[in-house]
Amino acid sequence: MRTQHVARTALLLTAVSLASGCAVVDVQANPASYPIGLRLVTSSAPGPCSAPPLTADVAGTACDLAGSTTYVLGPPLATLTPRSVARQSPAAGPSVVATFGPTDTTTLRDVTTGQVNKQVAVLRDGKVVAAPVIKAPITNGSVTFSFSTAAQADDAATALGATSAR
């Protein structure tokens, strides 16, 4: 039963990712990662974004790392600090894995339980690193984000605290 739950969670985390594909080829991690914020996305629009980094603890507007999408975000849901952030270069596409300690794993579970089928932005220094749709509560303390390009994964990994390249 536990194995089935873990397998289902891994599959759902892939669905939460920005694009498909995840298998470990090369991993670099930094145990001293930066705090990240979680906020509900109320809307987003593609195109150049010039909003300043979101620093207030109220609803506001933020850009993605590339400055190519504008997000309107609700107030903070939580602040978490990954225990590690690792780049992965799988054959199916590059990804980043963030792993959390016990306290943040509980917070992540509680927040994602209340946000199923909603888009939640992951912020670092007031910019959106990723904005997946939560398909199921994240209960295992590990989140995998998959990207279309290695450059996108590298940017996200660096923003989240990984220190070395693929």
Side-chain angles (χ1 to χ4, degrees):
M1 183 77 146
R2 173 89 174 131
T3 303
Q4 184 180 26
H5 175 71
V6 170
R8 185 178 67 116
T9 300
L11 179 62
L12 291 172
L13 286 175
T14 300
V16 169
S17 301
L18 300 176
S20 65
C22 180
V24 177
V25 170
D26 181 66
V27 176
Q28 300 293 329
N30 175 17
S33 299
Y34 303 110
I36 58 172
L38 301 179
R39 291 176 180 241
L40 189 63
V41 176
T42 58
S43 68
S44 63
C49 179
S50 59
L54 184 57
T55 57
D57 285 341
V58 295
T61 303
C63 300
D64 66 346
L65 293 175
S68 61
T69 303
T70 302
Y71 291 90
V72 178
L73 307 171
L77 298 171
T79 299
L80 309 169
T81 302
R83 183 176 275 177
S84 68
V85 175
R87 288 178 172 87
Q88 297 182 329
S89 298
S95 60
V96 176
V97 177
T99 305
F100 299 90
T103 301
D104 283 342
T105 293
T106 299
T107 301
L108 186 61
R109 181 200 66 217
D110 293 347
V111 167
T112 58
T113 296
Q115 304 306 327
V116 173
N117 295 319
K118 296 179 184 173
Q119 187 177 19
V120 174
V122 177
L123 288 95
R124 165 78 170 100
D125 289 338
K127 292 190 176 191
V128 177
V129 176
V133 173
I134 305 301
K135 295 296 184 187
I138 300 170
T139 60
N140 68 356
S142 180
V143 179
T144 300
F145 300 98
S146 297
F147 297 89
S148 299
T149 69
Q152 290 171 332
D154 284 346
D155 289 347
T158 299
L160 293 173
T163 56
S164 56
R166 296 176 274 122

Coordinates of all heavy atoms in Angstrom, one line a residue, residues 48-124:
P48 N 6.2 40.6 -22.3 CA 7.2 41.3 -21.5 C 6.6 41.7 -20.1 O 5.5 42.2 -20.1 CB 7.6 42.5 -22.3 CG 7.2 42.1 -23.7 CD 6.0 41.3 -23.6
C49 N 7.4 41.5 -19.1 CA 7.0 41.8 -17.7 C 8.0 42.8 -17.2 O 9.2 42.5 -17.2 CB 6.8 40.6 -16.9 SG 6.4 40.9 -15.1
S50 N 7.5 43.9 -16.6 CA 8.4 44.8 -16.0 C 8.1 45.1 -14.5 O 8.6 46.1 -14.0 CB 8.4 46.1 -16.8 OG 7.1 46.7 -16.8
A51 N 7.3 44.3 -13.9 CA 6.9 44.5 -12.5 C 8.2 44.3 -11.7 O 9.0 43.4 -11.9 CB 5.8 43.5 -12.1
P52 N 8.3 45.1 -10.6 CA 9.4 44.9 -9.7 C 9.2 43.6 -8.9 O 8.1 43.2 -8.8 CB 9.4 46.2 -8.8 CG 8.0 46.6 -8.8 CD 7.4 46.2 -10.2
P53 N 10.3 43.1 -8.4 CA 10.2 41.9 -7.6 C 9.2 42.1 -6.4 O 9.1 43.2 -5.8 CB 11.6 41.7 -7.0 CG 12.5 42.3 -8.0 CD 11.7 43.5 -8.5
L54 N 8.3 41.1 -6.2 CA 7.3 41.2 -5.2 C 7.9 41.0 -3.8 O 8.4 39.9 -3.5 CB 6.2 40.2 -5.5 CG 4.9 40.2 -4.7 CD1 4.2 41.5 -4.7 CD2 4.0 39.1 -5.1
T55 N 7.8 42.0 -3.0 CA 8.4 41.9 -1.7 C 7.3 42.0 -0.5 O 7.6 41.6 0.6 CB 9.4 43.0 -1.4 OG1 8.9 44.3 -1.7 CG2 10.6 42.8 -2.4
A56 N 6.2 42.6 -0.8 CA 5.2 42.8 0.2 C 4.5 41.5 0.5 O 4.3 40.6 -0.3 CB 4.1 43.8 -0.2
D57 N 4.0 41.3 1.8 CA 3.2 40.1 2.2 C 1.7 40.3 1.9 O 0.9 39.9 2.7 CB 3.5 39.9 3.7 CG 4.8 39.3 3.9 OD1 5.4 38.7 3.0 OD2 5.3 39.3 5.1
V58 N 1.4 40.9 0.8 CA 0.0 41.1 0.4 C 0.0 40.6 -1.1 O 1.0 40.4 -1.7 CB -0.4 42.5 0.5 CG1 -0.5 42.9 2.0 CG2 0.4 43.5 -0.3
A59 N -1.3 40.5 -1.6 CA -1.4 40.2 -3.1 C -0.7 41.2 -3.9 O -0.5 42.4 -3.5 CB -2.9 40.2 -3.4
G60 N -0.2 40.7 -5.1 CA 0.6 41.6 -6.0 C 0.9 41.0 -7.3 O 0.4 39.9 -7.6
T61 N 1.7 41.7 -8.0 CA 2.1 41.2 -9.4 C 3.6 40.9 -9.4 O 4.4 41.6 -8.8 CB 1.8 42.4 -10.4 OG1 0.5 42.7 -10.3 CG2 2.2 41.9 -11.8
A62 N 4.0 39.8 -10.1 CA 5.4 39.4 -10.2 C 5.7 38.9 -11.6 O 4.8 38.4 -12.3 CB 5.7 38.4 -9.2
C63 N 6.9 39.0 -12.0 CA 7.4 38.4 -13.3 C 8.0 37.1 -13.0 O 8.5 36.7 -11.9 CB 8.5 39.3 -13.9 SG 8.0 41.0 -14.2
D64 N 8.1 36.3 -14.1 CA 8.8 35.0 -14.1 C 10.3 35.4 -14.2 O 10.7 36.6 -14.4 CB 8.4 34.0 -15.1 CG 8.6 34.5 -16.5 OD1 8.9 35.7 -16.8 OD2 8.5 33.6 -17.4
L65 N 11.2 34.4 -14.1 CA 12.6 34.7 -14.1 C 13.1 35.3 -15.5 O 14.0 36.1 -15.5 CB 13.4 33.4 -13.9 CG 13.3 32.7 -12.5 CD1 14.0 31.4 -12.5 CD2 13.9 33.7 -11.5
A66 N 12.5 34.9 -16.5 CA 12.8 35.4 -17.9 C 12.2 36.7 -18.2 O 12.6 37.4 -19.2 CB 12.5 34.4 -18.9
G67 N 11.3 37.2 -17.4 CA 10.6 38.5 -17.6 C 9.6 38.3 -18.8 O 9.3 39.3 -19.5
S68 N 9.2 37.1 -19.1 CA 8.3 36.9 -20.2 C 6.8 36.6 -19.9 O 6.0 36.4 -20.7 CB 8.9 35.7 -21.0 OG 8.9 34.5 -20.3
T69 N 6.5 36.5 -18.6 CA 5.1 36.3 -18.1 C 4.9 37.2 -16.9 O 5.7 37.2 -16.0 CB 4.9 34.8 -17.8 OG1 5.2 34.0 -18.9 CG2 3.5 34.6 -17.4
T70 N 3.7 37.8 -16.8 CA 3.3 38.5 -15.7 C 2.3 37.7 -14.9 O 1.3 37.2 -15.5 CB 2.7 39.9 -16.1 OG1 3.6 40.6 -16.9 CG2 2.2 40.7 -14.9
Y71 N 2.5 37.6 -13.6 CA 1.6 36.8 -12.7 C 0.9 37.7 -11.7 O 1.6 38.6 -11.1 CB 2.3 35.7 -11.9 CG 2.9 34.6 -12.8 CD1 4.1 34.7 -13.4 CD2 2.1 33.5 -13.0 CE1 4.6 33.6 -14.1 CE2 2.5 32.4 -13.8 CZ 3.8 32.5 -14.3 OH 4.3 31.5 -15.1
V72 N -0.4 37.6 -11.5 CA -1.1 38.3 -10.4 C -1.3 37.2 -9.4 O -1.8 36.1 -9.6 CB -2.5 38.8 -10.9 CG1 -3.2 39.5 -9.7 CG2 -2.3 39.8 -12.0
L73 N -0.8 37.5 -8.2 CA -0.7 36.5 -7.1 C -1.4 37.0 -5.8 O -1.5 38.2 -5.5 CB 0.8 36.3 -6.7 CG 1.7 36.0 -7.9 CD1 3.2 36.0 -7.5 CD2 1.4 34.6 -8.5
G74 N -1.9 36.0 -5.2 CA -2.6 36.2 -3.9 C -1.5 36.4 -2.8 O -0.3 36.4 -3.1
P75 N -1.9 36.6 -1.5 CA -1.0 36.8 -0.4 C -0.2 35.5 -0.2 O -0.6 34.4 -0.7 CB -1.9 37.1 0.8 CG -3.3 36.6 0.4 CD -3.3 36.7 -1.1
P76 N 0.9 35.5 0.5 CA 1.7 34.3 0.8 C 0.9 33.2 1.4 O 0.1 33.4 2.3 CB 2.8 34.8 1.7 CG 2.8 36.3 1.5 CD 1.4 36.7 1.2
L77 N 1.1 32.0 0.9 CA 0.5 30.7 1.5 C 1.5 30.1 2.5 O 1.1 29.6 3.5 CB 0.2 29.7 0.4 CG -0.8 30.1 -0.6 CD1 -0.8 29.1 -1.7 CD2 -2.2 30.3 0.0
A78 N 2.8 30.2 2.2 CA 3.8 29.6 3.0 C 5.2 30.1 2.5 O 5.4 30.5 1.4 CB 3.8 28.1 3.0
T79 N 6.2 30.0 3.4 CA 7.6 30.1 3.1 C 8.3 28.9 3.5 O 8.1 28.4 4.7 CB 8.2 31.4 3.8 OG1 7.5 32.5 3.4 CG2 9.7 31.5 3.4
L80 N 9.0 28.3 2.6 CA 9.7 27.0 2.8 C 11.2 27.2 2.5 O 11.5 28.0 1.6 CB 9.1 25.9 2.0 CG 7.6 25.7 2.0 CD1 7.2 24.8 0.9 CD2 7.2 25.2 3.4
T81 N 12.0 26.4 3.1 CA 13.5 26.4 2.7 C 13.8 25.0 2.3 O 13.8 24.1 3.2 CB 14.4 26.9 3.9 OG1 13.9 28.2 4.2 CG2 15.8 26.9 3.4
P82 N 14.1 24.8 1.0 CA 14.5 23.4 0.6 C 15.8 23.0 1.4 O 16.7 23.7 1.6 CB 14.8 23.6 -0.9 CG 14.1 24.8 -1.3 CD 14.1 25.7 -0.1
R83 N 15.8 21.7 1.7 CA 17.0 21.1 2.3 C 18.1 20.9 1.3 O 19.2 21.1 1.5 CB 16.6 19.7 2.9 CG 17.8 19.1 3.6 CD 17.3 17.8 4.3 NE 16.8 18.2 5.6 CZ 16.3 17.3 6.4 NH1 16.2 16.0 6.1 NH2 15.8 17.7 7.6
S84 N 17.6 20.6 0.0 CA 18.5 20.6 -1.1 C 17.8 20.9 -2.4 O 16.6 20.7 -2.5 CB 19.2 19.2 -1.2 OG 18.2 18.2 -1.5
V85 N 18.5 21.4 -3.4 CA 18.0 21.6 -4.7 C 19.0 21.0 -5.7 O 20.2 21.2 -5.6 CB 17.9 23.1 -5.0 CG1 17.5 23.4 -6.4 CG2 16.9 23.8 -4.0
A86 N 18.5 20.1 -6.6 CA 19.4 19.4 -7.5 C 18.9 19.6 -8.9 O 17.8 19.5 -9.2 CB 19.4 17.9 -7.1
R87 N 19.9 19.8 -9.8 CA 19.7 19.8 -11.2 C 19.7 18.4 -11.7 O 20.5 17.6 -11.2 CB 20.7 20.6 -12.0 CG 20.7 22.0 -11.8 CD 21.9 22.6 -12.6 NE 21.9 24.0 -12.6 CZ 22.4 24.8 -11.7 NH1 23.0 24.3 -10.6 NH2 22.4 26.1 -11.8
Q88 N 18.8 18.0 -12.6 CA 18.9 16.7 -13.2 C 18.8 16.9 -14.7 O 18.1 17.8 -15.2 CB 17.7 15.8 -12.8 CG 17.8 15.6 -11.3 CD 16.6 14.7 -10.8 OE1 15.6 14.7 -11.4 NE2 16.9 13.9 -9.8
S89 N 19.5 16.1 -15.5 CA 19.5 16.2 -16.9 C 19.0 14.9 -17.5 O 19.8 14.1 -18.1 CB 20.9 16.5 -17.4 OG 21.3 17.8 -17.0
P90 N 17.8 14.6 -17.4 CA 17.2 13.3 -17.9 C 17.1 13.3 -19.4 O 17.0 14.4 -20.1 CB 15.9 13.2 -17.3 CG 15.5 14.6 -17.1 CD 16.7 15.4 -16.7
A91 N 17.1 12.2 -20.0 CA 17.0 12.0 -21.4 C 15.7 12.6 -21.9 O 15.6 13.2 -23.0 CB 17.0 10.6 -21.8
A92 N 14.6 12.6 -21.2 CA 13.3 13.1 -21.6 C 13.2 14.6 -21.4 O 12.2 15.2 -21.9 CB 12.2 12.4 -20.8
G93 N 14.1 15.2 -20.7 CA 14.1 16.7 -20.5 C 14.7 17.0 -19.2 O 14.6 16.3 -18.2
P94 N 15.2 18.2 -19.1 CA 15.9 18.7 -17.8 C 14.9 19.0 -16.7 O 13.7 19.4 -17.0 CB 16.6 19.9 -18.2 CG 16.0 20.4 -19.5 CD 15.4 19.2 -20.2
S95 N 15.3 18.8 -15.5 CA 14.4 19.0 -14.4 C 15.2 19.4 -13.1 O 16.4 19.4 -13.1 CB 13.6 17.8 -14.0 OG 14.4 16.7 -13.7
V96 N 14.5 19.9 -12.1 CA 15.1 20.4 -10.9 C 14.2 19.7 -9.8 O 13.0 19.7 -9.8 CB 15.0 21.9 -10.7 CG1 15.5 22.4 -9.4 CG2 15.8 22.6 -11.9
V97 N 14.9 19.2 -8.8 CA 14.3 18.5 -7.6 C 14.6 19.3 -6.4 O 15.8 19.6 -6.1 CB 14.7 17.1 -7.4 CG1 14.1 16.5 -6.2 CG2 14.4 16.3 -8.7
A98 N 13.5 19.7 -5.7 CA 13.7 20.4 -4.3 C 13.2 19.4 -3.3 O 12.1 18.9 -3.4 CB 12.9 21.7 -4.3
T99 N 14.0 19.2 -2.3 CA 13.7 18.3 -1.2 C 13.6 19.1 0.1 O 14.5 20.0 0.4 CB 14.8 17.2 -1.0 OG1 14.9 16.5 -2.3 CG2 14.4 16.2 0.0
F100 N 12.6 18.8 0.9 CA 12.4 19.6 2.2 C 12.5 18.7 3.4 O 12.3 17.5 3.4 CB 11.0 20.2 2.1 CG 10.8 21.1 1.0 CD1 10.3 20.6 -0.3 CD2 11.1 22.4 1.1 CE1 10.2 21.5 -1.4 CE2 10.9 23.3 0.0 CZ 10.5 22.8 -1.2
G101 N 12.8 19.4 4.5 CA 12.9 18.7 5.8 C 11.5 18.4 6.4 O 10.5 18.8 5.8
P102 N 11.5 17.8 7.5 CA 10.2 17.3 8.1 C 9.2 18.5 8.3 O 8.0 18.3 8.0 CB 10.6 16.7 9.4 CG 12.0 16.3 9.2 CD 12.6 17.3 8.3
T103 N 9.6 19.6 8.9 CA 8.7 20.7 9.2 C 8.1 21.3 7.9 O 6.9 21.5 7.8 CB 9.4 21.8 10.0 OG1 9.8 21.2 11.3 CG2 8.4 22.9 10.3
D104 N 9.0 21.5 6.9 CA 8.5 22.1 5.7 C 7.7 21.1 4.9 O 6.8 21.5 4.1 CB 9.7 22.6 4.9 CG 10.2 24.0 5.4 OD1 9.5 24.6 6.1 OD2 11.3 24.4 5.0
T105 N 8.0 19.8 5.0 CA 7.2 18.8 4.3 C 5.8 18.8 4.8 O 4.8 18.7 4.1 CB 7.9 17.4 4.6 OG1 9.1 17.3 3.9 CG2 7.0 16.3 4.0
T106 N 5.6 19.0 6.1 CA 4.3 19.1 6.7 C 3.6 20.3 6.2 O 2.4 20.3 5.8 CB 4.4 19.1 8.3 OG1 5.0 17.9 8.7 CG2 3.0 19.3 8.9
T107 N 4.3 21.5 6.1 CA 3.7 22.7 5.6 C 3.3 22.5 4.2 O 2.2 22.9 3.7 CB 4.7 23.9 5.8 OG1 5.0 24.0 7.2 CG2 4.1 25.2 5.2
L108 N 4.2 21.9 3.4 CA 4.0 21.7 1.9 C 2.7 20.8 1.8 O 1.9 21.1 0.9 CB 5.2 21.0 1.3 CG 5.1 20.8 -0.2 CD1 5.0 22.2 -0.9 CD2 6.4 20.1 -0.7
R109 N 2.6 19.8 2.6 CA 1.4 18.9 2.5 C 0.1 19.7 2.8 O -0.9 19.7 2.1 CB 1.5 17.8 3.5 CG 0.3 16.8 3.4 CD 0.2 16.0 4.7 NE -0.1 16.9 5.8 CZ 0.3 16.7 7.0 NH1 1.1 15.7 7.3 NH2 0.0 17.5 8.0
D110 N 0.2 20.5 3.9 CA -1.0 21.3 4.3 C -1.4 22.3 3.2 O -2.6 22.5 2.9 CB -0.7 22.0 5.6 CG -0.6 21.0 6.8 OD1 -0.9 19.8 6.7 OD2 -0.1 21.5 7.9
V111 N -0.4 23.0 2.7 CA -0.7 24.0 1.7 C -1.2 23.4 0.4 O -2.2 23.8 -0.2 CB 0.6 24.9 1.4 CG1 0.4 25.7 0.1 CG2 0.9 25.8 2.6
T112 N -0.6 22.3 -0.1 CA -1.0 21.7 -1.3 C -2.3 21.0 -1.2 O -3.1 20.9 -2.2 CB 0.1 20.8 -1.9 OG1 0.4 19.8 -1.0 CG2 1.3 21.6 -2.3
T113 N -2.7 20.5 0.0 CA -4.0 19.9 0.2 C -5.1 20.9 0.0 O -6.1 20.5 -0.6 CB -4.1 19.3 1.6 OG1 -3.1 18.3 1.8 CG2 -5.4 18.8 1.9
G114 N -4.9 22.1 0.3 CA -5.9 23.1 0.2 C -5.9 23.8 -1.2 O -6.7 24.7 -1.5
Q115 N -4.9 23.4 -2.1 CA -4.8 24.1 -3.4 C -4.9 23.1 -4.6 O -4.4 23.4 -5.7 CB -3.5 24.8 -3.5 CG -3.3 25.9 -2.4 CD -4.4 26.9 -2.2 OE1 -5.0 27.2 -3.2 NE2 -4.7 27.3 -1.0
V116 N -5.4 21.9 -4.4 CA -5.6 20.9 -5.5 C -6.3 21.6 -6.6 O -7.4 22.2 -6.4 CB -6.2 19.6 -5.0 CG1 -6.5 18.7 -6.1 CG2 -5.3 19.0 -3.9
N117 N -5.8 21.4 -7.8 CA -6.4 21.9 -9.1 C -6.2 23.4 -9.2 O -6.9 24.0 -10.1 CB -7.8 21.5 -9.3 CG -7.9 20.0 -9.5 OD1 -7.1 19.4 -10.2 ND2 -8.9 19.3 -8.9
K118 N -5.4 24.0 -8.4 CA -5.1 25.4 -8.5 C -3.6 25.6 -8.9 O -2.8 24.8 -8.6 CB -5.4 26.1 -7.2 CG -6.9 26.1 -6.8 CD -7.1 26.7 -5.5 CE -8.6 26.6 -5.1 NZ -8.8 27.1 -3.8
Q119 N -3.4 26.8 -9.5 CA -2.0 27.1 -9.9 C -1.3 27.8 -8.7 O -1.9 28.8 -8.2 CB -2.0 27.9 -11.2 CG -0.6 28.2 -11.7 CD -0.6 29.0 -13.0 OE1 -1.6 29.6 -13.3 NE2 0.5 28.9 -13.7
V120 N -0.2 27.3 -8.3 CA 0.6 27.9 -7.2 C 1.9 28.4 -7.7 O 2.7 27.6 -8.3 CB 0.7 26.9 -6.0 CG1 1.6 27.5 -4.9 CG2 -0.7 26.6 -5.5
A121 N 2.3 29.6 -7.5 CA 3.6 30.1 -7.9 C 4.6 29.8 -6.8 O 4.4 29.9 -5.6 CB 3.5 31.6 -8.1
V122 N 5.8 29.5 -7.2 CA 7.0 29.3 -6.4 C 7.9 30.5 -6.6 O 8.3 30.7 -7.8 CB 7.7 28.0 -6.7 CG1 9.0 27.8 -5.9 CG2 6.8 26.8 -6.6
L123 N 8.1 31.3 -5.6 CA 8.8 32.5 -5.7 C 10.2 32.5 -5.0 O 10.3 31.9 -3.9 CB 8.0 33.7 -5.2 CG 6.9 34.1 -6.0 CD1 5.6 33.5 -5.5 CD2 6.7 35.6 -6.0
R124 N 11.1 33.1 -5.6 CA 12.4 33.4 -4.9 C 12.8 34.8 -5.2 O 12.8 35.2 -6.4 CB 13.5 32.4 -5.5 CG 14.9 32.7 -5.2 CD 15.3 32.3 -3.8 NE 16.7 32.5 -3.6 CZ 17.3 33.5 -3.1 NH1 16.6 34.5 -2.5 NH2 18.6 33.6 -3.0

